[in-house]
Amino acid sequence: MSGVRVAVVSGAASGIGRAIAQRLQGDGWRVLAVDLRPDEAGPGEPFAADLTTREGNREVVDAALARFGRLDAVVANAGFQHVAPVEEFPEDRWDALVALLLTSPFLLAKRAWPALAESGDGRFLAVASVHGLVASPFKAGYVAAKHGVLGLVKVLALEGASRGISVSALCPAYVRTPLVEAQISDQARAHCLPEQRVLEDVLLAPQAVKRLLEPEEVAAAAAFLLGPDGRAVTGAPLVLDLGWTAR
Ligand SMILES: NC(=O)c1ccc[n+]([C@@H]2O[C@H](COP(=O)([O-])OP(=O)(O)OC[C@H]3O[C@@H](n4cnc5c(N)ncnc54)[C@H](O)[C@@H]3O)[C@@H](O)[C@H]2O)c1
């Protein structure tokens, strides 16, 4: 392992992915900043792809290798949320959640695996969620897919061990991003509450520490996991849940 390290970060135009791309760039990485709607002015080199498609995931890895000639880390972060009771949960939203939160990490790992092995110190990081460990009502697709991606991380870690690839996940509680802002009105409807009570009465209720995480805090944990000191973390998530699962 030598030279400037290269990472693919998915969902890099907003929120957590943007903060991770920014942090890695600041730490000296070259970053392919992948998004459905890439931000030309954002951190890293923007690349447009729809990661709910098989071609989109293939193109991302191929583009990183074509541009940078190597790939040392993949951060599977792109995601969205859909809040609805199970009997009303739209089936196309279920399919899209599974495609983006679970199948995209699998496809990115599959395509990137030879390059990550060649790196000599390859890393694969899934931005999962505390909802990979516990459930909340009205989030069937999201919670199921996030539990699934933690299973994928365990398998990849076992397979990556002999190839020099460490595989981990992040499980944050609520982070101050557009994904959270967008669900306040849906949560208000599902829980029959006024919007101003959703943050305190619903989102922050299970957390011991009553605040939102900042995207930069999650990016700092990602930088640790992807850096030299994070190599020993493989097959397990780093939980940033402000005490949620301590109860
Ligand atoms: N915000 C939170 O509270 C929180 C908590 C735990 C885990 N997470 C996870 O962190 C990740 C990032 O969430 P965020 O809060 O930063 O969200 P965000 O909405 O701010 O950013 C998500 C990004 O993903 C991109 N994206 C969506 N669909 C895509 C597709 N089909 N192909 C490519 N890109 C696509 C969006 O354009 C957007 O830029 C998600 O996996 C989410 O589940 C978020």
Side-chain angles (χ1 to χ4, degrees):
M1 174 196 46
S2 61
V4 175
R5 282 166 68 75
V6 172
V8 159
V9 179
S10 79
S14 174
I16 295 168
R18 187 186 186 92
I20 292 175
Q22 183 90 60
R23 172 64 191 254
L24 291 181
Q25 185 169 269
D27 288 353
W29 291 68
R30 298 195 75 184
V31 176
L32 193 71
V34 179
D35 207 283
L36 195 56
R37 289 174 291 275
D39 180 357
E40 301 295 324
E45 294 198 18
F47 186 81
D50 180 354
L51 296 173
T52 60
T53 68
R54 289 184 187 168
E55 320 76 82
N57 285 280
R58 279 199 299 270
E59 283 164 13
V60 160
V61 174
D62 294 351
L65 290 170
R67 277 194 206 187
F68 304 120
R70 62 185 286 168
L71 184 57
D72 303 284
V74 171
V75 181
N77 162 80
F80 70 95
Q81 178 62 276
H82 191 90
V83 178
V86 68
E87 75 271 26
E88 291 165 21
F89 208 94
E91 290 165 25
D92 65 332
R93 293 290 80 197
W94 170 278
D95 289 344
L97 281 163
V98 171
L100 188 60
L101 304 183
L102 181 55
T103 307
S104 169
F106 158 69
L107 292 171
L108 290 173
K110 179 177 170 161
R111 192 72 169 189
W113 213 240
L116 295 179
E118 203 174 314
S119 156
D121 186 15
R123 307 296 172 91
F124 186 92
L125 174 63
V127 179
S129 167
V130 69
H131 281 115
L133 303 167
V134 295
S136 293
F138 313 125
K139 294 186 174 179
Y142 187 89
V143 169
K146 292 294 190 186
H147 275 67
V149 81
L150 291 184
L152 175 67
V153 160
K154 291 180 187 174
V155 174
L156 295 179
L158 297 181
E159 294 191 24
S162 61
R163 313 280 300 272
I165 306 170
S166 292
V167 184
S168 57
L170 283 168
C171 289
Y174 287 105
V175 188
R176 196 187 308 279
T177 74
L179 180 144
V180 165
E181 282 149 22
Q183 70 176 275
I184 302 245
S185 58
D186 295 343
Q187 290 272 19
R189 212 172 315 117
H191 288 271
C192 301
L193 280 173
E195 284 191 18
Q196 59 275 21
R197 284 191 40 208
V198 167
L199 187 63
E200 214 167 292
D201 292 7
V202 179
L203 300 188
L204 299 183
Q207 298 182 193
V209 182
K210 306 291 182 191
R211 70 171 177 89
L212 292 172
L213 289 162
E214 299 300 330
E216 294 72 25
E217 294 182 273
V218 184
F224 162 71
L225 290 171
L226 298 172
D229 296 330
R231 199 175 188 186
V233 183
T234 196
L238 184 55
V239 180
L240 304 176
D241 70 355
L242 296 169
W244 186 318
T245 54
R247 292 175 196 283

